[in-house]
Amino acid sequence: MIVKIRYSAILFCLAVLCAMRLSGCGGEEEKAEECPYEDFIVVDVFDFTANYQGIQSGWFGKVVREKFNMELNIITPNITKGGDTLLNVRAAAGNIGDLIICKGVNGQLQDMVNAGLLYDMETDLYDKNIMKYRDAIENLNSSVQQNGIYAIPSQVSVNEPDVPSEGSEPIYGPYIRWDLYKELGYPELNTLEDLLPVLKHMQALHPVTESGERTYGFSFFKEWDDNMMNAVKQPCCIYGYDEYGVVLAKADGSDYQSIIDDDSVYVRMLNFYYEANQLGLVDPDSVNQNYEGCFEKYKKGEIFFSPWPWLGKSAFNTLANMEQGKGFMLAPVKDMQIYSYGCYPYGNQDSIIAVGSRSADPGRLVDFIDWLYSDEGIMMNGANLSGATAGPEGLTWEMGEDGPYLTDFGIEAFYNGGEIEVPEEYGSGTWSSGISQLNYKPVVQCEKSEEGFYYYYDLWDSVKALDTSALAKDWKDRMGANTTMEYLQQNDMLLVAPGTLYTASVETTEEMAIRHQCKRAIQEYSWKMVFAPDRQRFEELLDEMQAAVRSYGYDIILEYDMMHAKAKNSFVP
């Protein structure tokens, strides 16, 4: 049986010579000295936010192995499907996982504590660095009846709630192939709907990629569907709305909508994608593909519109493409008011991290969580293909006299699709295959390190100075701004929803059952409506969806969601 051995500082020093050859600490003397864990363990990570399943490999896997003598085995409902069902099945067996990343709202945290599924981390965290976020941690755990620290909130911040949490790019936005938009003469875009003929013209000019694949305006996947079809919800955020259950709430608190109403922005976007499909702009593989398949199509230049910068730009905006003027950039849609999440001084309780009570070595996992919230952990865990944290110091970035800067390797990794080979000493394999698959954000994008520089490298002065590509120059000249966020703020096109610590009351068993039925119906009918053969069938499906969910008791959960959406927007910490 694998057990944990904790060394005191003195005993550890005496044991280094024996331990340095053990497989668990990387096999290198200088690495072994950093690892106080002799026995190797495999950690089952139950992760609601991950888009990958299996053993974490590559350079991040090597970091975890060397520091903690363990491997992360990621289990996610996004791949296995089932969502809450998978969680309930594992909970019924008494073991969700060794490390758990899930939602902490709607009484879920209390339920897990009541069932004895979570480890109380309070004693282990007493002198840890993570306790600089004490207020956020204590606030989350104050909602639990039992004393202790059972979970840590994500996206914590030292900034005020009305400060945008994003970096130089918002989370949402109408990102298009700017080079093709330029080719068409920068046609005027008064509303999102004006994009459809523009995208159709792009497709007519470029019906296939250089390698022969067909092109489309849009491509979707089902993995992130919840209370509604996720792909339809995303453009709602371009108009300042975000979801609260079956309610779309405007960031400034000026409007609240039931998503199934004929005049809701959700139904507007269903119409938008229906019209797009009628024009042949929607990828027919959308019904069956996953996120990774969708990402590959963006990478190959098959898709012309992205609702997020971290999809289109990450996949396609390589150095070579940008130098040729090719890539995704924000489109100047005149009536957009993009939803921005304000900073969370008390953290985001929609995503939390915890240790399972049956973990063989809970103390080691508490240490791992503490590391995730450290400067090094934030930089490592948040590194991606582009627009994220900067990864391992010495490999992707260095600290210079004027602040941090990307190395040549870092520029290649972040701006050329991530296919660069990682040196053997850092784990081998490609950069992209080794990034952290946890998809968990300990802090917000605009947060700074203890040394005073931003974690996200696209906010560094040195990186801003690098952005001299033909693509960036043309966009800046046309838009009159240096960054997307600057453009949005200059033109009053950003709506910030203040980050709050509001916690809704726990749903009743009846409400949970109604929600389960309603969201399945809304998802199913939404997909059918996007791919409806004609307008008559679209309208019939809308009527059927509305009738079906109301028969399930939709008005009950609408009342619940509407009450809490309004309370959340008006809540002042």
Side-chain angles (χ1 to χ4, degrees):
M1 180 176 179
I2 295 174
V3 296
K4 170 188 173 185
I5 299 178
R6 274 187 176 275
Y7 292 99
S8 69
I10 295 175
L11 289 177
F12 171 60
C13 291
L14 294 174
V16 165
L17 290 176
C18 295
M20 69 184 183
R21 291 296 178 188
L22 292 173
S23 63
C25 289
E28 298 177 30
E29 181 174 353
E30 67 273 22
K31 299 298 182 183
E33 290 175 355
E34 300 173 6
C35 180
Y37 310 103
E38 182 181 67
D39 295 290
F40 173 73
I41 60 173
V42 176
V43 177
D44 284 343
V45 184
F46 187 80
D47 191 344
F48 254 85
T49 61
N51 297 301
Y52 167 90
Q53 183 150 285
I55 297 293
Q56 170 71 57
S57 61
W59 63 265
F60 186 75
K62 189 171 191 288
V63 170
V64 173
R65 177 77 174 247
E66 289 177 343
K67 285 188 169 294
F68 299 97
N69 199 11
M70 67 188 194
E71 281 184 340
L72 305 177
N73 176 40
I74 299 171
I75 303 162
T76 177
N78 287 335
I79 302 296
T80 59
K81 307 298 181 185
D84 292 338
T85 301
L86 180 60
L87 174 64
N88 293 336
V89 168
R90 295 180 69 87
N95 185 8
I96 300 175
D98 300 311
L99 192 67
I100 302 160
I101 298 174
C102 64
K103 294 181 180 180
V105 295
N106 196 26
Q108 288 176 307
L109 177 56
Q110 180 68 68
D111 289 344
M112 289 188 287
V113 174
N114 287 346
L117 296 168
L118 302 185
Y119 175 74
D120 181 1
M121 299 181 278
E122 185 168 20
T123 301
D124 302 79
L125 288 174
Y126 177 74
D127 58 350
K128 292 290 191 289
N129 179 69
I130 197 174
M131 293 310 290
K132 65 185 178 183
Y133 302 117
R134 180 183 298 274
D135 289 347
I137 294 170
E138 290 182 348
N139 177 263
L140 170 63
N141 289 275
S142 67
S143 65
V144 178
Q145 294 174 0
Q146 294 87 336
N147 292 328
I149 295 176
Y150 296 94
I152 311 293
S154 63
Q155 296 181 306
V156 291
S157 175
V158 298
N159 294 296
E160 293 299 317
D162 58 353
V163 173
S165 64
E166 300 88 357
S168 61
E169 302 281 351
I171 292 179
Y172 312 103
Y175 288 80
I176 60 173
R177 278 286 300 277
W178 186 263
D179 51 310
L180 305 184
Y181 180 62
K182 177 184 179 181
E183 187 177 346
L184 294 174
Y186 310 104
E188 188 174 47
L189 301 170
N190 292 307
T191 69
L192 195 64
E193 284 78 5
D194 290 339
L195 270 173
L196 294 182
V198 172
L199 292 169
K200 187 61 182 175
H201 288 154
M202 291 181 184
Q203 187 185 48
L205 288 171
H206 302 277
V208 296
T209 65
E210 293 179 2
S211 55
E213 291 94 352
R214 288 192 60 184
T215 60
Y216 298 96
F218 308 95
S219 189
F220 314 136
F221 52 93
K222 288 185 174 181
E223 290 155 277
W224 298 352
D225 290 359
D226 190 21
N227 286 288
M228 61 196 81
M229 181 178 169
N230 182 267
V232 178
K233 176 256 176 176
Q234 300 310 315
C236 298
C237 301
I238 294 172
Y239 284 100
Y241 291 86
D242 196 20
E243 64 182 302
Y244 193 103
V246 296
V247 169
L248 284 170
K250 203 156 190 181
D252 61 3
S254 63
D255 190 32
Y256 301 87
Q257 301 178 354
S258 164
I259 62 173
I260 68 168
D261 286 355
D262 290 347
D263 59 351
S264 72
V265 67
Y266 184 78
V267 173
R268 173 184 171 182
M269 295 309 160
L270 281 170
N271 273 282
F272 175 73
Y273 283 133
Y274 163 77
E275 294 292 348
N277 188 55
Q278 292 296 301
L279 291 170
L281 289 171
V282 178
D283 174 13
D285 292 339
S286 296
V287 175
N288 299 311
Q289 72 186 356
N290 59 17
Y291 173 81
E292 290 183 359
C294 184
F295 185 89
E296 281 300 310
K297 291 182 176 179
Y298 278 92
K299 191 174 183 179
K300 295 175 181 177
E302 298 175 37
I303 313 300
F304 299 150
F305 175 90
S306 173
W308 309 290
W310 41 266
L311 176 55
K313 294 187 75 172
S314 295
F316 190 76
N317 288 24
T318 63
L319 281 175
N321 282 338
M322 291 190 295
E323 287 168 1
Q324 296 176 49
K326 298 178 181 179
F328 283 87
M329 299 296 283
L330 184 84
V333 178
K334 291 185 178 179
D335 69 341
M336 63 184 171
Q337 289 186 302
I338 293 177
Y339 192 102
S340 169
Y341 296 99
C343 291
Y344 297 96
Y346 291 93
N348 181 0
Q349 299 180 6
D350 282 339
S351 181
I352 61 173
I353 190 166
V355 174
S357 59
R358 289 197 183 180
S359 167
D361 197 346
R364 193 186 314 194
L365 298 186
V366 173
D367 291 345
F368 177 67
I369 292 175
D370 180 55
W371 177 76
L372 285 178
Y373 283 76
S374 70
D375 283 356
E376 182 185 57
I378 290 167
M379 293 291 271
M380 297 275 200
N381 173 62
N384 211 303
L385 297 183
S386 71
T389 60
E393 183 176 7
L395 176 64
T396 48
W397 68 281
E398 296 276 9
M399 180 61 72
E401 292 182 3
D402 299 322
Y405 65 91
L406 296 180
T407 63
D408 290 342
F409 180 94
I411 292 171
E412 183 73 15
F414 295 133
Y415 293 102
N416 260 349
E419 297 308 308
I420 185 173
E421 288 290 325
V422 174
E424 185 176 353
E425 64 183 291
Y426 288 94
S428 302
T430 64
W431 171 260
S432 61
S433 66
I435 61 176
S436 171
Q437 299 293 347
L438 295 176
N439 198 21
Y440 181 78
K441 296 179 180 180
V443 299
V444 298
Q445 286 180 242
C446 65
E447 207 68 14
K448 293 182 178 181
S449 71
E450 291 184 2
E451 294 184 62
F453 63 85
Y454 289 105
Y455 292 118
Y456 280 65
Y457 64 81
D458 61 353
L459 294 171
W460 297 350
D461 290 339
S462 60
V463 172
K464 292 177 183 178
L466 286 175
D467 199 5
T468 58
S469 67
L471 174 67
K473 185 178 185 305
D474 189 73
W475 185 88
K476 291 175 184 179
D477 290 347
R478 184 74 188 177
M479 303 291 270
N482 289 316
T483 68
T484 303
M485 290 295 278
E486 181 181 308
Y487 171 80
L488 294 172
Q489 290 171 323
Q490 285 177 354
N491 292 277
D492 197 25
M493 291 178 169
L494 194 74
L495 285 184
V496 181
T500 70
L501 49 72
Y502 178 79
T503 303
S505 61
V506 179
E507 287 183 356
T508 65
T509 302
E510 178 191 21
E511 288 167 339
M512 292 174 64
I514 292 171
R515 186 179 302 281
H516 180 70
Q517 285 184 297
C518 287
K519 69 182 184 182
R520 288 187 63 183
I522 292 168
Q523 291 174 24
E524 179 182 349
Y525 276 103
S526 294
W527 280 92
K528 288 180 179 179
M529 290 165 70
V530 169
F531 290 95
D534 51 49
R535 172 56 63 181
Q536 179 179 342
R537 184 57 183 150
F538 178 92
E539 298 297 341
E540 289 173 352
L541 288 166
L542 176 58
D543 291 341
E544 290 174 18
M545 178 181 74
Q546 292 167 336
V549 297
R550 285 178 177 137
S551 72
Y552 299 147
Y554 176 85
D555 288 342
I556 293 174
I557 60 168
L558 174 62
E559 181 181 2
Y560 172 93
D561 289 342
M562 189 68 73
M563 175 182 67
H564 289 297
K566 291 180 178 179
K568 181 176 182 288
N569 261 357
S570 62
F571 185 80
V572 178

